[in-house]
Amino acid sequence: MQATHNETERVMIQKFQSTIINGETRVLLIDGESIVTLKKIPKKGSIYTNLHSGATLTTHKLTPKEHLLCERIGHFCKQEGLFFTAIDIIDEKLSEINMTS
């Protein structure tokens, strides 16, 4: 009830991905093409991949499944005129799409 302010506001939830301890992949797309791929790895004992929470940032080579995901999302973004987009992937599954307006 607290999160919805007595059911007056909507909330979005997602299933917790315990594999987050292995890190989260961040892919930056420009005009539908992946240009930067990074891995954010939480510090030991944490589940937070935010750099300000102590996570480390490394380069990352996309797995075949991640690459396919980026191609599909990139194609959609280009079709919709979304020039700059960032996507987050946990355990080869899309967790978030960030886009500029």
Side-chain angles (χ1 to χ4, degrees), residues 71-85:
E71 281 184 347
R72 289 179 176 167
I73 293 170
H75 177 74
F76 171 80
C77 290
K78 186 170 180 131
Q79 220 175 15
E80 294 299 314
L82 300 167
F83 185 74
F84 179 68
T85 310

Side-chain angles (χ1 to χ4, degrees), residues 4-98:
T4 63
H5 294 240
N6 266 346
E7 298 181 3
T8 61
E9 292 186 32
R10 293 180 182 190
V11 295
M12 182 185 305
I13 60 172
Q14 89 183 51
K15 182 179 177 184
F16 176 71
Q17 299 291 326
S18 61
T19 54
I20 192 66
I21 60 171
N22 300 321
E24 172 182 53
T25 302
R26 166 67 57 94
V27 182
L28 302 180
L29 303 170
I30 299 283
D31 200 25
E33 297 292 323
S34 59
I35 58 156
V36 176
T37 306
L38 303 166
K39 188 82 157 188
K40 299 185 293 179
I41 303 169
K43 68 180 179 182
K44 187 174 178 153
S46 177
I47 59 169
Y48 299 107
T49 59
N50 307 71
L51 298 179
H52 70 274
S53 296
T56 56
L57 190 63
T58 64
T59 58
H60 175 71
K61 183 177 166 129
L62 293 173
T63 67
K65 195 170 180 180
E66 290 171 330
H67 184 72
L68 181 60
L69 189 59
C70 289
E71 281 184 347
R72 289 179 176 167
I73 293 170
H75 177 74
F76 171 80
C77 290
K78 186 170 180 131
Q79 220 175 15
E80 294 299 314
L82 300 167
F83 185 74
F84 179 68
T85 310
I87 63 173
D88 294 335
I89 303 169
I90 301 171
D91 195 25
E92 297 186 318
K93 297 175 189 76
L94 179 67
S95 68
E96 188 173 333
I97 301 175
N98 303 285

